[in-house]
Amino acid sequence: MDSKLRDYLKIEVYHESKFLKKLYFKYLAPPTNAVYLIRKYQFCKSKILSILYRKKLVTKYGIFISKSTKIGKGLKLPHPNGIIFGEHTIIGENCTIYQQVTFGSSRQGEAKLGFQPVVHDNCIFYAGCKIIGGIKIYSNTRVGANAVLLGDTEKSGGSYVGIPARKVKKNTR
């Protein structure tokens, strides 16, 4: 196994030391099994195995991902269902992505030009949100459920909600 793949899996999947718990988290628990399949797909050198991993991701979880998608360490998928990672999307480290989230381009053909979202570290994307276009989501950003983010976020992070998504002011209590 590739040492880089082993490092990713140690953080995301093998966080329990007992043998039976390792098997459970690797093969049976949906959140870690989906991450395991994504990592195996990303680091796979065999074309045939790569196709099989991608097919399993699509049929079992409805996760669509491209080989050109880059995802940093510490990925968490609490409810791995219906997640779409557009071609050339970049996801930073320690990001949490809930069900039905889409990262994609705003028009057909823009993926080939590189107009895909770039997500920095420690971001959370709640259920059903859409991240559209060649935008930057800076560190410590949260995108609310069913929000549609069409523009860059502020560098200080923050929470974004609505259609189109806008930054919510902090509660001063």
Side-chain angles (χ1 to χ4, degrees):
M1 188 183 313
D2 186 3
S3 65
K4 191 172 181 182
L5 173 60
R6 191 182 346 257
D7 292 343
Y8 278 63
L9 292 177
K10 193 181 291 183
I11 292 169
E12 299 163 345
V13 179
Y14 302 139
H15 45 77
E16 297 289 333
S17 60
K18 298 193 180 196
F19 178 73
L20 290 176
K21 285 190 176 185
K22 277 186 182 181
L23 287 177
Y24 171 75
F25 283 111
K26 182 176 176 181
Y27 295 111
L28 298 176
T32 50
N33 181 246
V35 172
Y36 174 77
L37 290 172
I38 287 171
R39 295 307 184 193
K40 291 296 275 186
Y41 171 69
Q42 284 187 310
F43 291 102
C44 186
K45 305 250 190 280
S46 163
K47 181 99 169 154
I48 294 169
L49 282 175
S50 182
I51 291 168
L52 292 174
Y53 287 130
R54 184 172 182 180
K55 184 173 181 179
K56 187 155 187 176
L57 277 167
V58 171
T59 57
K60 189 170 184 179
Y61 298 108
I63 295 175
F64 290 84
I65 187 168
S66 168
K67 270 288 203 191
S68 60
T69 300
K70 292 179 177 49
I71 301 175
K73 292 180 185 175
L75 175 66
K76 291 175 209 73
L77 303 174
H79 306 287
N81 179 294
I83 301 169
I84 299 171
F85 297 98
E87 196 172 351
H88 304 294
T89 297
I90 299 170
I91 309 287
E93 293 185 0
N94 301 316
C95 289
T96 302
I97 302 169
Y98 285 83
Q99 69 273 18
Q100 304 297 322
V101 174
T102 300
F103 299 92
S105 55
S106 57
R107 292 188 203 106
Q108 190 173 8
E110 285 189 344
K112 291 181 176 124
L113 300 173
F115 295 123
Q116 291 287 349
V118 175
V119 178
H120 291 244
D121 302 336
N122 305 313
C123 294
I124 301 175
F125 301 92
Y126 290 99
C129 69
K130 311 297 181 231
I131 315 303
I132 307 296
I135 62 175
K136 288 185 181 172
I137 295 95
Y138 290 97
S139 295
N140 304 312
T141 298
R142 294 172 183 235
V143 181
N146 295 319
V148 179
L149 191 59
L150 301 171
D152 293 355
T153 63
E154 293 179 10
K155 290 185 180 181
S156 61
S159 298
Y160 291 80
V161 297
I163 303 173
R166 64 197 179 291
K167 187 172 182 180
V168 177
K169 292 182 181 175
K170 291 183 181 178
N171 192 353
T172 57
R173 289 185 195 181

